[in-house]
Amino acid sequence: MVFSWQCPYCNHNATITNEQHSTVHHTFHLNNKHDESLRLLTNAIVCPNPICREYSITAELGIANRSALYKLEYSLASWTLRPLSKAKPLPDYIPKAVIADYEEACLIKDLSPKSSATLARRCLQGILRDFWNVKPARLVDEIKSIQDKVDPITWQSIDAIRNVGNIGAHMEKDINVIVDVDPDEAQLLIGLLEHLIKEWYINRHERKQQMEALIGVAKQKQEARHNTKVEE
Ligand SMILES: [Zn+2]
């Protein structure tokens, strides 16, 4: 079996062949309540990127297919065992509190979308206060206060999510009010956090590094010119 896949550790896009993945099955009946054979499939994939080689493990349980050992008639449950969540690795120049809220929001997204959304809103507020120095207020007002500072596309993405049903309604309230949301809505908030972290922290850091490299080259040139003048 060959399929395309993205590594959750290094984000490398890869084509996975039989050399990089393995699946085993565990089939049992044992007089279970479904009166059918159940099958647990576990899958391991190793990232082919030579500097990563991390392993991802998933499992799926379902009614066993009678003719194909590695197939299910239909799925009853599935789990991602490693990595435990789909949180993207974030660089350490991002504030620790922002990273911690983001990672925990990802970790519990499926188990408790409500708690995930609460953490994601707190994370958003943390970013606004740290990156934009907004004055503490209701989340909705803090968001509005940066409207004329951010680029229009980023503003549209914030605004689109601000208008999603329960999430939107609860941005008007205190961030600690627990909102009833489904996993898809919780994922929208997580996606927004990832976009903002990239747009703001990561881009600012990269710009700074590029500028420092330019300044470094300019200084070297200046010194070289100075030295040749002295030699003359
Ligand atoms: Zn990888």
Side-chain angles (χ1 to χ4, degrees):
M1 192 169 62
V2 173
F3 53 95
S4 53
W5 175 81
Q6 188 183 38
C7 175
Y9 295 92
C10 69
N11 289 332
H12 186 84
N13 286 307
T15 303
I16 300 297
T17 63
N18 286 337
E19 273 71 59
Q20 287 121 10
H21 83 97
S22 92
T23 301
V24 294
H25 70 91
H26 174 182
T27 305
F28 61 95
H29 191 299
L30 309 174
N31 206 20
N32 76 77
K33 66 177 184 180
H34 295 286
D35 279 326
E36 301 229 40
S37 289
L38 296 179
R39 181 167 293 152
L40 178 72
L41 295 172
T42 56
N43 304 290
I45 299 179
V46 172
C47 177
N49 176 3
I51 56 164
C52 177
R53 292 163 68 211
E54 269 289 357
Y55 46 98
S56 302
I57 298 172
T58 56
E60 190 170 18
L61 175 76
I63 305 294
N65 181 296
R66 283 175 204 192
S67 47
L69 264 185
Y70 294 97
K71 279 195 175 159
L72 302 174
E73 267 322 307
Y74 59 89
S75 177
L76 295 170
S78 62
W79 303 269
T80 303
L81 302 172
R82 194 190 143 83
L84 258 183
S85 89
K86 294 204 169 82
K88 296 201 170 24
L90 297 179
D92 54 11
Y93 53 76
I94 291 165
K96 281 198 178 62
V98 168
I99 297 183
D101 280 348
Y102 163 74
E103 286 179 345
E104 203 170 334
C106 292
L107 190 65
I108 56 172
K109 189 200 79 190
D110 294 316
L111 221 52
S112 171
K114 286 193 247 195
S115 317
S116 173
T118 306
L119 279 161
R121 283 182 299 144
R122 190 171 85 173
C123 185
L124 175 60
Q125 189 162 60
I127 293 173
L128 294 170
R129 290 182 185 178
D130 172 69
F131 194 90
W132 293 103
N133 283 318
V134 300
K135 270 205 294 252
R138 290 182 311 164
L139 181 56
V140 67
D141 296 323
E142 294 186 16
I143 291 172
K144 280 179 190 155
S145 73
I146 60 160
Q147 181 170 5
D148 50 3
K149 296 180 192 159
V150 302
D151 80 90
I153 294 172
T154 299
W155 177 255
Q156 277 168 21
S157 61
I158 297 173
D159 208 38
I161 288 171
R162 204 163 60 92
N163 291 323
V164 173
N166 277 331
I167 298 174
H170 285 77
M171 282 192 177
E172 315 269 331
K173 295 185 183 155
D174 185 82
I175 55 152
N176 293 314
V177 173
I178 292 175
V179 199
D180 222 355
V181 297
D182 62 37
D184 290 342
E185 288 177 310
Q187 181 55 46
L188 273 177
L189 274 172
I190 288 171
L192 177 66
L193 294 176
E194 288 168 353
H195 174 76
L196 298 181
I197 288 170
K198 166 93 182 52
E199 270 307 300
W200 297 341
Y201 288 106
I202 295 177
N203 285 356
R204 177 175 72 182
H205 183 79
E206 284 173 359
R207 272 201 311 274
K208 190 165 163 255
Q209 278 189 322
Q210 284 164 359
M211 287 308 291
E212 280 168 0
L214 274 176
I215 293 167
V217 172
K219 273 192 178 151
Q220 276 175 2
K221 284 254 179 217
Q222 206 173 15
E223 275 165 24
R225 190 176 295 165
H226 181 75
N227 291 343
T228 29
K229 269 194 185 155
V230 171
E231 280 163 23
E232 278 166 8

